[in-house]
């Protein structure tokens, strides 16, 4: 029986033929599977920026730290577009720009702060001369935005409709967060001016906090921005005799801001007005913003920023190193006894005036405007940029009583303040003759014999008190009056 079985087995076809066929078939299937698997893995593999720059015309995935987020604009076609620049550890300085296209502005990435992390899937690498950038195609590309802070939160705060996150994404996000802690990515903060350094007619970058935005005309925004420093004082080119028909304005906007808005502003440091076309996606109020290519002009002796068509902005996080430095420097100005003086008046105001309250600390005009009490006494350092009447010989009325209005300014604001009766008598030292009055007036307003470059009023020490003239509208009828101050120059 056993031998019979052996003989039957020997009669079967030989195995080698089958053994050769099966491996060939198996090898062919395995290769296809591997290709599909590799292709699927490539869809979720992030390339370092340096590697991605060599993958011209290929679809790649990128993840990096945002250093610049351009303003969303309408493209030449029907799409909306914006440009986002990212860096990573392979290219921490220049990084790479990603041009993003979408059907609507809402579908574009809205970066909350530079330093946040963005991942792009299936963007196409393109070369333009020596430059390489990535292009986001709305048909097959996707993105996700994450907070850049070192946090355990891996939930994106904005994603595109086609985005599908993977578990392994967390590792890349975590690594980038750790990297930014040890090495702050380079941003446009390098080379930015502060408001204290701006110059007329130049263009520069600024890092400022957006305090308020209002509509000044149908097609124009007015942005109110601040960095805690004082803009340089300007010469006044308006003619004194024009004060009656064309008084020097207290602000650049036609309608002054409400007290409620003003009370939200810092009281130290210049609040720069900046105009911007309403076609731009305006920045968010309360955010620190990195502005690029802003032009500086002057109007009526006040600084004005111009947001040009070529200008850009992006957000900074509140814990950005430069932001923290600005805020720290600003806080010091609140603590010192004399630190609220205008920077350009240091080490001390001119000796054109003198007061009876030498040991009272100085406050700013914005401190005075926003003070919580209607009636109060203050001491400040200001420039007198205009008087009404304009001629010193007309400061007294037909009855011989002094009554005049002075326009005062410091880096924070402009106000009108009145001088009359006994306060004016003390200010002018009694009733000097016309020649002496004219000389004192010129010294107060910085009028030189040759007036080609305008007037440069000196910084003067003076005391102000606030009061109201209508009990039914105490804030609306609030005025200011100079007292206990003497003109000695």
């Amino acid at each position: 029986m056993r031998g019979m079985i052996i003989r039957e087995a020997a009669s079967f076809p030989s195995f080698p033929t089958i053994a050769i066929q099966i491996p060939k078939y198996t090898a062919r299937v395995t290769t296809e599977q591997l290709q599909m698997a590799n292709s699927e893995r490539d869809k979720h593999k992030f390339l370092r920026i340096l590697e991605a720059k060599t993958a011209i015309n290929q679809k790649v995935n990128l993840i990096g730290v945002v250093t610049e987020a351009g303003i969303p604009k309408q493209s030449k076609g029907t799409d909306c577009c914006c440009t986002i620049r990212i860096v990573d550890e392979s290219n921490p300085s220049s990084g790479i720009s990603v041009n993003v296209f979408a059907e609507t502005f809402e579908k574009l990435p809205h970066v909350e702060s530079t330093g946040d992390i963005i991942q792009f899937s299936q963007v196409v690498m393109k070369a333009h001369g020596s430059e390489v950038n990535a292009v986001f195609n709305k048909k097959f590309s996707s993105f996700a935005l994450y907070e850049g802070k070192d946090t355990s939160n891996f939930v994106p705060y904005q994603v595109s409709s086609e985005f599908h996150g993977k578990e392994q994404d967390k590792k890349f996000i975590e690594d980038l967060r750790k990297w930014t802690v040890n090495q702050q990515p380079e941003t446009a903060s390098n080379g930015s001016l502060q408001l204290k350094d701006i110059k007329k007619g130049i263009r520069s970058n600024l890092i400022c906090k957006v305090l308020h935005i209002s509509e000044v005309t149908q097609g124009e925004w007015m942005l109110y921005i601040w960095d805690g420093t004082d803009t340089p004082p300007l010469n006044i080119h308006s003619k004194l005799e024009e004060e009656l028909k064309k008084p020097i304005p207290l602000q650049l906007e036609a309608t002054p801001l409400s007290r409620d808005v003003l009370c939200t502003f810092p009281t130290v440091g210049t609040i720069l007005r900046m105009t911007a076309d309403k076609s731009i996606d305006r920045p968010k109020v309360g955010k620190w913003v990195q502005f690029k290519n802003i032009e500086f002009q002057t109007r009526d002796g006040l600084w004005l920023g111009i947001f040009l068509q070529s200008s850009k902005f992006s957000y900074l996080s509140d814990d950005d190193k430069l932001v923290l430095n600005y805020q720290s420097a600003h806080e010091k100005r609140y603590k010192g006894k004399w630190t609220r003086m205008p920077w350009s008046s240091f080490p001390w105001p001119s000796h054109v005036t003198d007061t009876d309250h030498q040991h009272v600390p100085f406050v700013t005009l914005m401190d005075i405007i926003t003070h919580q009490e209607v009636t109060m006494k203050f001491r400040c350092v200001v420039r007198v940029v205009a008087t009404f009447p304009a001629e010193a010989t007309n400061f007294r009325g037909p009855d011989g009583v002094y009554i005049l209005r002075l326009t005062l300014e410091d880096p924070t604001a402009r106000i009108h303040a009145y001088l009359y009766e006994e306060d004016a008598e003390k200010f002018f030292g009694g009733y000097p003759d016309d020649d002496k009055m004219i000389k004192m007036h010129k010294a107060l307003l910085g009028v030189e014999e040759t007036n080609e470059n305008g007037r440069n009023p000196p910084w003067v020490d003076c005391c102000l008190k606030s009061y109201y003239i209508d009990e039914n509208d105490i804030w609306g009828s609030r005025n200011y009056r100079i007292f206990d101050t003497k003109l000695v120059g």
Side-chain angles (χ1 to χ4, degrees):
M1 185 73 170
R2 188 176 297 169
M4 185 176 175
I5 293 173
I6 294 172
R7 284 196 300 273
E8 289 179 0
S11 66
F12 289 155
S14 60
F15 284 98
T17 303
I18 300 174
I20 292 171
Q21 290 174 346
I22 292 174
K24 284 183 178 179
Y25 178 74
T26 302
R28 181 172 58 83
V29 173
T30 303
T31 301
E32 288 178 352
Q33 290 175 337
L34 284 171
Q35 288 175 342
M36 291 176 64
N38 287 337
S39 176
E40 193 65 26
R41 279 197 298 271
D42 287 343
K43 288 183 180 180
H44 303 288
K45 177 184 177 183
F46 293 112
L47 284 187
R48 288 152 59 94
I49 290 175
L50 278 182
E51 297 168 347
K53 286 183 175 181
T54 65
I56 306 303
N57 295 325
Q58 296 183 44
K59 295 178 184 177
V60 302
N61 303 328
L62 298 172
I63 186 167
V65 179
V66 179
T67 60
E68 182 181 333
I71 302 171
K73 296 180 180 179
Q74 194 77 35
S75 69
K76 293 182 179 179
T78 58
D79 286 338
C80 302
C81 62
C82 70
T83 300
I84 294 177
R85 181 169 287 276
I86 61 174
V87 297
D88 66 9
E89 63 275 17
S90 75
N91 201 323
S93 55
S94 58
I96 193 169
S97 291
V98 183
N99 298 322
V100 185
F101 295 87
E103 295 93 340
T104 64
F105 286 113
E106 290 73 20
K107 292 184 178 181
L108 292 171
H110 295 278
V111 179
E112 291 186 355
S113 299
T114 54
D116 282 353
I117 293 170
I118 190 167
Q119 69 177 86
F120 291 104
S121 299
Q122 300 295 283
V123 291
V124 182
M125 303 302 301
K126 293 290 183 181
H128 300 278
S130 59
E131 295 292 323
V132 177
N133 59 23
V135 177
F136 181 101
N137 189 301
K138 62 183 181 181
K139 295 180 180 178
F140 51 77
S141 304
S142 63
F143 72 84
L145 271 163
Y146 303 84
E147 290 183 17
K149 297 177 181 178
D150 190 11
T151 173
S152 58
N153 179 19
F154 294 96
V155 178
Y157 63 78
Q158 186 191 359
V159 297
S160 60
S161 57
E162 300 299 321
F163 174 75
H164 299 286
K166 298 293 179 182
E167 185 66 26
Q168 56 265 37
D169 295 348
K170 293 182 180 179
K171 174 63 176 171
F172 291 96
I173 297 167
E174 186 176 37
D175 289 345
L176 277 173
R177 283 173 173 166
K178 290 179 180 177
W179 174 67
T180 56
V181 170
N182 298 322
Q183 178 177 339
Q184 187 79 15
E186 293 184 20
T187 68
S189 59
N190 296 326
S192 292
L193 293 182
Q194 288 188 275
L195 293 181
K196 66 182 178 66
D197 301 315
I198 62 176
K199 295 179 181 179
K200 182 181 177 180
I202 69 165
R203 297 181 184 182
S204 184
N205 304 336
L206 282 176
I207 290 178
C208 289
K209 188 175 186 179
V210 179
L211 303 177
H212 181 70
I213 299 176
S214 63
E215 183 180 7
V216 288
T217 65
Q218 191 171 8
E220 189 177 56
W221 296 117
M222 181 75 83
L223 280 63
Y224 300 79
I225 61 176
W226 166 93
D227 69 1
T229 66
D230 299 341
T231 50
L234 292 166
N235 285 3
I236 307 299
H237 291 275
S238 64
K239 295 180 180 180
L240 291 173
E241 57 270 20
E242 294 178 348
E243 189 65 15
L244 175 61
K245 294 182 179 179
K246 188 182 178 183
I248 190 168
L250 300 184
Q251 67 281 318
L252 291 175
E253 58 273 21
T255 304
L257 296 174
S258 69
R259 174 178 167 79
D260 288 342
V261 171
L262 292 173
C263 286
T264 66
F265 288 175
T267 60
V268 179
T270 299
I271 297 160
L272 180 74
R273 272 67 168 171
M274 182 165 69
T275 60
D277 192 275
K278 288 189 70 175
S279 63
I280 74 161
D281 184 20
R282 60 179 183 169
K284 298 175 184 177
V285 172
K287 297 288 289 184
W288 281 91
V289 176
Q290 177 177 288
F291 291 101
K292 277 191 170 184
N293 198 38
I294 302 300
E295 185 173 296
F296 304 105
Q297 296 293 341
T298 61
R299 291 183 189 172
D300 299 309
L302 295 170
W303 285 102
L304 176 67
I306 310 291
F307 193 97
L308 307 165
Q309 288 295 324
S310 58
S311 302
K312 299 178 181 180
F313 75 82
S314 57
Y315 296 109
L316 294 172
S317 64
D318 289 341
D319 58 1
D320 180 274
K321 290 181 179 178
L322 203 60
V323 170
L324 293 176
N325 288 340
Y326 284 9
Q327 291 177 330
S328 176
H330 168 251
E331 289 169 4
K332 290 179 181 178
R333 297 191 70 182
Y334 278 105
K335 296 176 181 178
K337 187 175 181 180
W338 310 114
T339 50
R340 296 196 186 200
M341 289 170 51
W343 281 353
S344 56
S345 71
F346 280 102
W348 201 251
S350 70
H351 297 289
V352 172
T353 61
D354 194 9
T355 73
D356 294 341
H357 304 278
Q358 291 295 320
H359 301 292
V360 177
F362 294 117
V363 298
T364 68
L365 291 183
M366 188 62 78
D367 281 318
I368 297 173
I369 292 170
T370 60
H371 196 272
Q372 60 185 359
E373 297 182 45
V374 178
T375 59
M376 184 58 64
K377 295 180 179 180
F378 310 92
R379 185 186 180 202
C380 55
V381 177
V382 296
R383 301 200 307 165
V384 181
V385 295
T387 61
F388 179 75
E391 296 81 15
T393 53
N394 294 331
F395 286 169
R396 284 186 282 162
D399 56 359
V401 177
Y402 281 109
I403 180 166
L404 64 151
R405 186 192 73 193
L406 282 65
T407 304
L408 311 181
E409 75 167 21
D410 74 358
T412 68
R414 271 183 186 168
I415 66 169
H416 288 145
Y418 295 90
L419 255 178
Y420 55 92
E421 297 180 342
E422 68 275 9
D423 290 325
E425 288 181 27
K426 180 165 188 173
F427 189 83
F428 292 113
Y431 299 89
D433 60 35
D434 287 351
D435 288 341
K436 186 174 182 180
M437 181 67 81
I438 291 171
K439 182 180 179 181
M440 295 169 72
H441 185 223
K442 286 183 176 181
L444 184 65
L445 271 72
V447 177
E448 303 289 344
E449 292 301 324
T450 57
N451 209 24
E452 296 178 358
N453 296 321
R455 293 179 280 116
N456 183 22
W459 290 110
V460 296
D461 178 0
C462 77
C463 292
L464 292 173
K465 54 185 173 183
S466 58
Y467 62 97
Y468 59 87
I469 56 177
D470 184 353
E471 290 185 355
N472 298 315
D473 184 16
I474 57 175
W475 287 108
S477 65
R478 191 182 191 220
N479 283 332
Y480 308 100
R481 177 173 174 173
I482 294 175
F483 77 104
D484 282 354
T485 305
K486 184 176 181 180
L487 185 58
V488 296

